[in-house]
Amino acid sequence: MIKSTRKILLPCFCFLLWFTLPATLLAQAAKTSFKFDFGSGKAADGYQKIGPDVQFDDNKGYGFDFDSKVTAVVRNPRKLLTGDYVTSDKPFYFSVNVPEGNYKVTLLLGDIKGNSNTTVRAESRRLMLEKVKTSKGNIKRVSFIVNIRKPDIGTGGKVSLKPREFGKYDWDDKLSLEFNDTLPCIDALEIEKVDDQVTVYLAGNSTVVDQDDEPWCSWGQMITRFFKPGVAIADHAESGLTLGSFLNSHRLDKILSIIKPGDYLFIEFGHNDQKEKGPEDGAYKSYTDRLKLFISKIRDKNAIPVIVTSTSRRAFNDSSKVVNTLGDYPDAARKVAKAQNVPLIDLNVMTAKLYEALGNEGSKKAFVWYPANSFPNQPKDLADNTHFNSYGAYEIAKCVIEGIKGNHLGIEKYIIDAPPYDPSHPDPADTFNLPASPQNSTIKPDGN
């Protein structure tokens, strides 16, 4: 009887044990590898068939998301993986529930009987692939790395998110991909968790953060496009933050809980720090002290800090030169970098050169300057001299890439499609062409 009772109780005990396991252990048990074959034909061996009607829900944990509508095309039913695909004349999303970490995403793109053009963004509009062109019969296999993060901190507590961050794709339970451009043809998708990537963490404000909505954009969500697998970009920046509020919202704690030896932390603050007016505040007081604290904490983890000076604001004098509106903060950052022997990327200088090259009027094309009705539900003009559009963010990301090269950082070897760039000779704004994401907003980011 005792033996029989134990047989009955054991499953119950196992269920209770599973039910009470810590969330981190449950996350470890979650699936981290997927293979999807898109279209309405037969699935290739080892792949999950995804037809156009497979919508995301939490029970499946994958599917087309955010009301996406796609069409399935079958070109050759005998040709697995590349004989059929999904496409749409509008941007569409596909999401997969995954635990925190870095993921290698591999796509098969193209139509065996026609041309395609595909731009891919991940999470909150991180640019991963830019205008991948395929011609008739030319199927391309392309890979990139997406970082997934959660608010929970392994050492205890959570990141204190702002209200605007709840619902942000960067902080949810999914890896979300946006497919965009002219007839993007998605044949297959593979997702695999990888633990061998050098991770570059970004700490900063609205000029660095992954901006959710058009027309706002930052260099942090554009720089992903310039790295091949081997490097993951983990953008922990948020609009309106200072070094102090980044600390107080436990964002540095979050990074310190997961950063590993050989990883990087890029630190760019100043725009909002200069508004702090307490007795201990100032460029050479709290700002300098906090920069040193960040550096010390990161070095304790055998990781590499990099100081990035604040992007200049769009402010010209009568001589068509950019005026410094950031006081002593760029100088303080430079002095800390020199004293602490930390690599410095002087975006403050490079962005001033960029704006001056574009000119007082032409530089508006790099910022959120748009007449009324340029976007849905935009009754008034947008005129912002701090925050960038996609073109401006793209050019500034190129400046950061040049800074990485100039400092000969170890991640330099993973840079792709980035010939030498001089901000005094920027790419023409009129030839820049990146398809817009579906979401837009007229609300300025915090810290404007």
Side-chain angles (χ1 to χ4, degrees):
M1 177 66 71
I2 294 174
K3 190 174 183 180
S4 174
T5 303
R6 289 181 65 186
K7 285 183 178 179
I8 295 172
L9 291 178
L10 185 58
C12 297
F13 174 75
C14 291
F15 171 78
L16 289 172
L17 180 62
W18 174 261
F19 186 77
T20 56
L21 279 172
T24 52
L25 293 181
L26 291 176
Q28 289 172 4
K31 191 173 181 182
T32 59
S33 180
F34 303 83
K35 289 185 175 183
F36 300 110
D37 183 353
F38 291 101
S40 53
K42 183 181 177 181
D45 290 344
Y47 286 76
Q48 173 70 45
K49 174 54 67 174
I50 303 294
D53 57 342
V54 177
Q55 294 295 307
F56 180 88
D57 66 55
D58 283 326
N59 290 328
K60 287 196 303 288
Y62 59 82
F64 295 105
D65 211 352
F66 313 121
D67 299 319
S68 295
K69 301 292 188 292
V70 299
T71 301
V73 178
V74 179
R75 292 297 198 191
N76 183 347
R78 294 188 299 273
K79 198 172 184 66
L80 300 181
L81 281 186
T82 59
D84 61 342
Y85 58 86
V86 295
T87 188
S88 178
D89 60 357
K90 295 180 180 178
F92 60 95
Y93 294 85
F94 190 83
S95 296
V96 184
N97 274 345
V98 293
E100 186 171 68
N102 293 323
Y103 288 82
K104 184 178 182 180
V105 176
T106 300
L107 291 164
L108 284 182
L109 303 174
D111 177 2
I112 59 175
K113 292 189 177 181
N115 301 327
S116 74
N117 200 22
T118 307
T119 291
V120 179
R121 295 181 177 92
E123 299 294 274
S124 293
R125 296 175 57 231
R126 301 176 208 162
L127 184 62
M128 310 309 301
L129 297 177
E130 179 188 4
K131 294 189 170 298
V132 177
K133 292 180 171 61
T134 63
S135 56
K136 180 179 178 180
N138 173 220
I139 304 297
K140 287 189 177 179
R141 183 181 179 91
V142 290
S143 298
F144 52 85
I145 305 296
V146 178
N147 175 264
I148 298 296
R149 66 174 185 264
K150 308 294 173 71
D152 297 279
I153 301 173
T155 52
K158 288 187 175 185
V159 175
S160 300
L161 300 179
K162 288 187 170 189
R164 71 179 292 276
E165 293 181 272
F166 290 99
K168 187 178 173 76
Y169 299 168
D170 281 339
W171 288 112
D172 64 15
D173 291 328
K174 300 181 285 190
L175 190 166
S176 297
L177 300 173
E178 174 200 317
F179 299 100
N180 207 328
D181 227 313
T182 308
L183 196 67
C185 300
I186 316 303
D187 300 71
L189 165 65
E190 299 175 13
I191 297 174
E192 178 187 10
K193 191 171 186 290
V194 286
D195 299 321
D196 59 348
Q197 306 296 291
V198 177
T199 304
V200 179
Y201 294 88
L202 307 183
N205 50 39
S206 57
T207 64
V208 187
V209 69
D210 291 346
Q211 296 286 0
D212 298 83
D213 303 312
E214 300 281 0
W216 319 92
C217 200
S218 79
W219 67 260
Q221 64 197 118
M222 287 293 189
I223 199 168
T224 44
R225 178 257 180 272
F226 297 104
F227 283 100
K228 64 183 179 181
V231 166
I233 304 295
D235 193 346
H236 286 249
E238 176 50 37
S239 296
L241 294 187
T242 64
L243 282 165
S245 55
F246 194 93
L247 281 167
N248 294 336
S249 55
H250 307 293
R251 296 171 200 266
L252 184 59
D253 291 334
K254 172 67 180 181
I255 292 171
L256 292 172
S257 73
I258 51 179
I259 199 168
K260 62 186 185 298
D263 286 346
Y264 293 77
L265 177 65
F266 283 40
I267 311 162
E268 186 204 319
F269 290 94
H271 281 89
N272 303 306
D273 304 71
Q274 71 173 150
K275 302 169 190 175
E276 296 179 334
K277 303 299 181 184
E280 298 303 317
D281 291 322
Y284 302 115
K285 292 184 178 180
S286 63
Y287 180 76
T288 290
D289 292 341
R290 287 167 180 159
L291 276 179
K292 291 178 180 178
L293 175 65
F294 274 58
I295 292 165
S296 173
K297 293 284 189 181
I298 292 302
R299 283 177 167 167
D300 284 346
K301 295 289 184 176
N302 293 315
I304 304 161
V306 177
I307 289 181
V308 184
T309 57
S310 298
T311 54
S312 295
R313 294 189 180 94
R314 182 184 164 274
F316 286 82
N317 60 22
D318 293 339
S319 301
S320 297
K321 294 294 184 181
V322 170
V323 176
N324 175 30
T325 65
L326 287 153
D328 292 327
Y329 285 83
D331 180 64
R334 295 180 192 111
K335 287 181 176 176
V336 171
K338 184 176 181 180
Q340 298 288 316
N341 195 27
V342 171
L344 174 75
I345 298 177
D346 205 339
L347 268 192
N348 188 257
V349 168
M350 287 191 278
T351 51
K353 290 180 180 178
L354 172 65
Y355 310 159
E356 289 172 2
L358 293 169
N360 192 351
E361 191 64 28
S363 60
K364 292 178 181 178
K365 294 180 180 180
F367 288 82
V368 179
W369 269 77
Y370 295 94
N373 302 312
S374 297
F375 300 91
N377 303 312
Q378 184 217 334
K380 297 181 180 179
D381 294 348
L382 292 173
D384 189 316
N385 293 313
T386 300
H387 299 108
F388 312 103
N389 58 18
S390 292
Y391 165 70
Y394 193 93
E395 297 300 293
I396 295 168
K398 286 189 170 185
C399 291
V400 178
I401 290 294
E402 283 304 300
I404 292 170
K405 292 177 181 178
N407 282 284
H408 298 297
L409 302 183
I411 53 174
E412 179 182 9
K413 64 184 178 182
Y414 296 104
I415 294 171
I416 56 171
D417 303 330
Y421 178 78
D422 180 357
S424 297
H425 297 89
D427 302 317
D430 293 338
T431 61
F432 181 80
N433 180 21
L434 195 66
S437 294
Q439 306 95 333
N440 66 276
S441 173
T442 60
I443 300 174
K444 292 184 177 182
D446 292 349
N448 188 62

